Amino acid sequence: MIRLRKKSVEFLIQSSQQLQATPLVKYTALSLFADRFLPSLTTLLKQGNELGSWLLRSMEDSNLQLFALISIWISSKIHDSRALSVKSLKPLGDKFIKDQHFTTRDFLEAEVVFLQVLHFEIGTSNVAFIFLEELFIKFKGMARVGELVSFEACMDVMDLLYEKEETSILFSSPRSLAASILVTSYVVTVPKQQFEFPVLPWVKFVTSYKEEDIIEKVKDILKHVFKPHC
């Protein structure tokens, strides 16, 4: 399942780029898919697939890739004034999902199954990206050095953490993760001679998280950021 998770999350990220989804749509989709759908699906399958859908009978790359596209579709419906349609998703599936050809009807059924696995709970109040964006805006407004922090780097770090199974647990605490990603980006992108702003005390002030807890998460994140790719 670890290999399948990694491939399907990478597919979701690449598909978001292909569809030119906004960061909010992309990261809400990742939250729905990686943080909620996959763990719930694992539990459901252990209990014997009570939903009975043929889409859940075997968890192969193609099935999970379909559900990854469905998560983008649902996220777009939540956030976009003009949501993505099956007509825009299906050609992407036809091009990149190699092992199975999914019809328009399959997409519609997959959406229902996706929602059933989540028990139709698709709230977006705990998406790490939303907290990160709020913190980043506050930081830029508070300190001149905030102009040197790269939000692209923040998103790159978030992508990397989603792709790695061993760091997926971090998303169970989205607010503290957002704070830790901001500090990580500060450390990585701000020139050392510009480190005059007390970023950790500031994060503690605006989030109420202990500095030592943020430091431990930042160390963990940096370890994975600079870990050689096999």
Side-chain angles (χ1 to χ4, degrees):
M1 188 67 177
I2 293 177
R3 182 190 68 84
L4 291 176
R5 181 193 184 283
K6 178 176 172 59
K7 289 191 67 175
S8 57
V9 168
E10 288 175 347
F11 176 75
L12 193 160
I13 291 172
Q14 293 164 3
S15 297
S16 296
Q17 294 169 345
Q18 290 281 334
L19 294 164
Q20 298 182 327
T22 64
L24 182 57
V25 168
K26 169 187 171 182
Y27 289 108
T28 298
L30 279 165
S31 179
L32 290 171
F33 181 74
D35 299 343
R36 297 159 66 181
F37 177 78
L38 289 180
S40 298
L41 180 61
T42 301
T43 302
L44 180 69
L45 293 179
K46 287 179 180 178
Q47 295 172 348
N49 182 14
E50 294 176 358
L51 295 179
S53 171
W54 68 274
L55 291 168
L56 301 180
R57 285 175 193 159
S58 61
M59 276 299 95
E60 300 175 352
D61 286 341
S62 56
N63 297 54
L64 289 181
Q65 287 171 335
L66 173 62
F67 285 120
L69 290 177
I70 295 301
S71 70
I72 299 173
W73 189 20
I74 292 172
S75 178
S76 177
K77 289 181 181 181
I78 294 171
H79 296 298
D80 291 337
S81 57
R82 295 185 64 181
L84 293 168
S85 66
V86 175
K87 288 183 178 180
S88 57
L89 294 167
K90 190 177 180 304
L92 196 64
D94 292 342
K95 182 176 180 180
F96 293 107
I97 299 177
K98 302 298 184 182
D99 300 329
Q100 177 105 19
H101 175 75
F102 292 109
T103 66
T104 299
R105 184 173 180 176
D106 294 334
F107 273 82
L108 297 175
E109 180 179 346
E111 181 187 24
V112 174
V113 171
F114 189 97
L115 293 171
Q116 287 176 328
V117 170
L118 295 185
H119 302 291
F120 294 89
E121 297 173 359
I122 55 171
T124 60
S125 60
N126 277 321
V127 176
F129 172 79
I130 295 175
F131 301 133
L132 175 61
E133 189 173 41
E134 290 174 353
L135 273 178
F136 182 77
I137 291 170
K138 287 180 181 178
F139 188 51
K140 286 189 68 175
M142 175 63 65
R144 186 175 59 184
V145 73
E147 297 293 335
L148 301 175
V149 178
S150 168
F151 195 64
E152 289 293 328
C154 291
M155 292 191 290
D156 288 343
V157 169
M158 190 169 286
D159 287 354
L160 180 66
L161 297 180
Y162 264 119
E163 290 170 358
K164 291 175 175 285
E165 172 73 19
E166 62 268 33
T167 53
S168 60
I169 187 65
L170 293 172
F171 287 91
S172 62
S173 302
R175 288 183 182 273
S176 63
L177 176 61
S180 302
I181 289 176
L182 180 65
V183 174
T184 300
S185 183
Y186 177 89
V187 171
V188 171
T189 63
V190 175
K192 191 173 182 180
Q193 62 269 26
Q194 301 289 334
F195 275 15
E196 80 277 4
F197 186 78
V199 63
L200 282 170
W202 180 82
V203 168
K204 178 183 177 182
F205 174 75
V206 297
T207 67
S208 299
Y209 292 114
K210 295 179 180 178
E211 288 185 32
E212 52 267 34
D213 293 340
I214 297 297
I215 289 172
E216 285 305 309
K217 281 195 174 182
V218 170
K219 286 180 179 178
D220 192 28
I221 292 170
L222 286 171
K223 180 178 69 177
H224 289 285
V225 167
F226 292 108
K227 183 178 180 180
H229 293 281
C230 299

